């Protein structure tokens, strides 16, 4: 992988003990083992309009959330970022723009990994005419967040995953892989849909996920089933308090409560670090 350093370093076996399982059920008798294939099929169907879907799901807050997420990540000049589940390059693009305009840096890079080739194709097309592609500051690979076999240990400054954890059958495995590949002192950054605990707003959000989004999927894309899957994968993801515990269990340090709520918890940012003595 050209965007990674120390490519010859052998992959170490994860040393963290298994965390309490975060496995999720769809609620319709779909086994966990089938989740990857099911979500892969969903994203093949929505890849070309994924960003529009995200804007719809977030009620047009998606881009603002991701920009805030990048700013809170505080990239440093020369950072190598691994963008997992980053196929369409919405986060990668904002990261490189931040490095160019805020840090005035042209040495940083991002390696985009996604399990879905259709999503990667969208990202490649989006970045095709950019100087970042010409200078090999953005590279791509198809891969599994739960087994980043081609990414060496302690090789990235930032591990980033945005709206990707809820798609995984076993998020705790992805957290162990994140810990393995991040350099000591490096950062873990996760942006994920959350749970709104404010009673009235929470009820509205649950109705929106359960009823509103499938309805919009039917009206706008004639594909209710795919949007039901997307909504259900979000609704069944663990509460932010539980997921913050899992991140800490994997070995990362999270300050304070461990997360920041965007829009009452519609989206949640988890930004932590790997101990320098790890």
């Amino acid at each position: 992988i050209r965007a990674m350093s120390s490519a010859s370093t052998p992959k170490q076996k994860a040393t963290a003990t298994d965390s309490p399982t975060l496995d999720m059920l769809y609620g319709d008798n779909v086994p966990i083992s089938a989740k990857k294939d099911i979500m892969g099929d969903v994203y093949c169907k929505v890849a070309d309009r994924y960003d529009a879907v995200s804007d719809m799901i977030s009620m047009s807050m998606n881009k603002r959330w991701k920009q805030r997420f990048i700013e809170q990540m505080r990239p440093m000049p020369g950072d190598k970022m691994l963008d997992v589940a980053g196929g369409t390059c919405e986060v990668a693009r904002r990261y490189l723009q931040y490095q160019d305009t805020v840090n005035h840096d042209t040495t940083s890079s991002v390696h985009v990994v996604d399990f879905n080739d259709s999503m990667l194709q969208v990202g490649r097309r989006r970045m095709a005419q950019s100087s970042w592609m010409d200078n090999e500051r953005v590279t791509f690979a198809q891969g599994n967040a739960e087994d980043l076999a081609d990414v060496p240990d302690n090789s990235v400054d930032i591990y980033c995953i945005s709206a990707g954890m809820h798609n995984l059958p076993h998020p705790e495995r992805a957290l162990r892989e994140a810990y393995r590949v991040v350099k000591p002192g490096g950062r873990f950054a996760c942006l994920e849909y959350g749970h709104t605990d404010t009673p009235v707003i929470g009820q509205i959000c649950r109705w929106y996920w359960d009823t509103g989004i499938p309805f919009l999927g039917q009206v706008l894309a004639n594909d209710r089933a795919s949007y039901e899957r997307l909504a259900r994968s979000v609704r069944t993801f663990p509460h932010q308090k539980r997921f913050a515990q899992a991140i800490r269990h994997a070995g990362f340090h999270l300050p304070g409560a461990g997360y920041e709520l965007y829009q009452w918890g519609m989206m949640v940012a988890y930004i932590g670090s790997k101990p320098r003595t790890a």
Side-chain angles (χ1 to χ4, degrees):
I1 298 174
R2 287 179 292 180
M4 301 296 133
S5 61
S6 305
S8 61
T9 305
K11 177 181 173 180
Q12 297 174 359
K13 183 178 180 181
T15 57
T17 57
D18 289 349
S19 64
T21 182
L22 293 176
D23 291 355
M24 295 162 287
L25 294 173
Y26 281 111
D28 56 2
N29 298 319
V30 174
I32 287 295
S33 59
K35 184 171 184 180
K36 179 182 175 183
D37 290 339
I38 290 171
M39 295 310 295
D41 182 63
V42 168
Y43 279 92
C44 283
K45 293 179 180 178
V46 304
D48 287 333
R49 55 184 184 277
Y50 176 75
D51 289 330
V53 170
S54 296
D55 286 342
M56 179 189 73
I57 289 174
S58 67
M59 294 178 284
S60 299
M61 294 296 295
N62 181 56
K63 290 182 173 61
R64 185 180 301 178
W65 290 337
K66 288 183 177 179
Q67 186 60 38
R68 178 171 173 78
F69 179 56
I70 293 293
E71 293 167 357
Q72 288 185 295
M73 197 186 296
R74 296 182 180 177
M76 300 295 291
D79 275 351
K80 292 182 172 67
M81 185 172 85
L82 178 65
D83 185 15
V84 178
T88 64
C89 288
E90 180 66 23
V91 170
R93 181 178 60 83
R94 291 177 183 277
Y95 166 78
L96 291 171
Q97 284 178 339
Y98 182 96
Q99 291 285 26
D100 289 354
T101 59
V102 177
N103 289 335
H104 306 290
D105 170 58
T106 59
T107 63
S108 53
S109 62
V110 56
H111 185 61
V112 180
V113 174
D114 201 295
F115 78 101
N116 189 287
D117 187 58
S118 296
M119 297 286 281
L120 286 172
Q121 289 178 23
V122 173
R124 287 190 181 100
R125 288 197 300 269
R126 177 171 290 179
M127 300 294 246
Q129 304 303 316
S130 71
S131 61
W132 302 318
M133 283 284 280
D134 294 339
N135 298 327
E136 297 186 354
R137 291 179 64 195
V138 57
T139 53
F140 299 86
Q142 190 169 4
N144 182 357
E146 296 180 5
D147 184 13
L148 296 167
D150 294 329
V151 183
D153 298 345
N154 305 316
S155 62
V156 301
D157 299 290
I158 303 173
Y159 173 102
C160 170
I161 183 167
S162 174
M165 280 288 180
H166 71 268
N167 293 319
L168 303 178
H170 309 285
E172 72 280 2
R173 296 179 187 175
L175 292 176
R176 290 200 297 271
E177 280 291 85
Y179 187 83
R180 179 183 67 78
V181 303
V182 171
K183 296 176 182 178
R187 278 145 289 163
F188 170 86
C190 175
L191 187 65
E192 189 52 78
Y193 293 104
H195 295 260
T196 304
D197 294 330
T198 305
V200 174
I201 296 174
Q203 289 177 354
I204 294 171
C205 287
R206 286 188 289 274
W207 174 89
Y208 182 65
W209 285 115
D210 293 341
T211 305
I213 288 175
F215 173 77
L216 289 173
Q218 179 64 43
V219 171
L220 299 178
N222 194 30
D223 188 3
R224 183 181 185 89
S226 292
Y227 288 80
E228 284 179 336
R229 294 287 187 199
L230 287 172
R232 196 170 295 136
S233 70
V234 170
R235 286 275 283 117
T236 55
F237 194 74
H239 189 279
Q240 47 267 20
K241 290 181 181 179
R242 187 181 176 200
F243 190 54
Q245 290 175 347
I247 295 171
R248 287 176 169 137
H249 190 91
F252 290 106
H253 169 71
L254 291 175
Y259 55 85
E260 180 174 332
L261 303 179
Y262 296 177
Q263 300 303 120
W264 307 286
M266 290 178 64
M267 188 66 82
V268 183
Y270 310 83
I271 298 180
S273 60
K274 182 173 178 177
R276 293 186 180 276
T277 55

